[in-house]
Amino acid sequence: LLRLTIDSAEVNEVRLSEELEYLDRYLDIETIRFGDRLKVERHIAAGTLDAAVPSFFLQPLAENAVRHGIGQSSEPGVIRLVTELRQNRLRIELSNSGPRLRAPFNELKHGVGLTNTMARLRELYGDASQFTLNNRENDVVAILEIPYRQL
């Protein structure tokens, strides 16, 4: 995971398939840590694997999901990743079970991971990107939408 981080430090965008490799490495570590308390589900839509995405952006979101969701509950939890294409836009949802947000996203104090993620999205896509973090049913879900472009 460290090697992948170093190797991708100068790259702004990668294929979603590469980003999923980074994410898998991180989640493999957390699965060892949490054992049966952590289940990972992936629903990757056909045609999204070659999409251009910001490099190393899913790992901080997953880290937040583990830290603030799975790690805060003694019950087993799920991290779910869903990708889809919607009207020439790539939509990525990363959700976690566990405690819900205590306040609306715009009222929360953002840590380094979310602050950097939002700054990178503004830098790469300007107003063409959308990022939200909300409660949904029994989960907390981070949703990213960016223009769809293949690499």
Side-chain angles (χ1 to χ4, degrees):
L1 186 60
L2 179 60
R3 173 60 51 205
L4 289 172
T5 304
I6 292 168
D7 290 346
S8 68
E10 299 298 319
V11 178
N12 285 327
E13 291 181 308
V14 296
R15 285 183 178 86
L16 178 61
S17 60
E18 293 175 57
E19 185 66 13
L20 293 175
E21 288 179 36
Y22 305 156
L23 180 64
D24 287 345
R25 300 265 170 89
Y26 171 74
L27 290 174
D28 286 348
I29 293 167
E30 293 297 359
T31 300
I32 292 168
R33 179 178 167 210
F34 285 95
D36 292 342
R37 286 186 48 219
L38 174 59
K39 180 179 177 185
V40 177
E41 296 178 359
R42 289 175 34 162
H43 306 279
I44 309 301
T48 62
L49 289 174
D50 288 334
V53 297
S55 64
F56 220 67
F57 85 99
L58 282 174
Q59 186 276 332
L61 297 179
E63 186 175 340
N64 279 347
V66 169
R67 174 187 283 170
H68 300 293
I70 309 304
Q72 297 298 314
S73 176
S74 59
E75 298 294 317
V78 177
I79 291 180
R80 183 174 296 108
L81 178 68
V82 178
T83 68
E84 62 183 338
L85 295 176
R86 288 186 176 182
Q87 300 174 349
N88 210 28
R89 294 181 60 79
L90 176 66
R91 180 182 174 95
I92 299 173
E93 295 184 9
L94 193 139
S95 63
N96 64 274
S97 57
R100 297 170 53 84
L101 297 174
R102 294 182 303 272
F105 178 61
N106 60 346
E107 295 175 16
L108 292 173
K109 180 180 177 190
H110 302 150
V112 173
L114 286 178
T115 300
N116 288 344
T117 296
M118 292 184 298
R120 287 186 66 216
L121 290 173
R122 276 191 305 275
E123 181 181 317
L124 289 170
Y125 308 105
D127 292 338
S129 69
Q130 293 180 336
F131 178 80
T132 60
L133 184 66
N134 297 299
N135 292 321
R136 180 176 65 189
E137 298 173 12
N138 297 319
D139 294 342
V140 174
V141 60
I143 301 172
L144 168 69
E145 286 193 20
I146 57 175
Y148 174 72
R149 185 172 56 79
Q150 285 187 334
L151 275 183

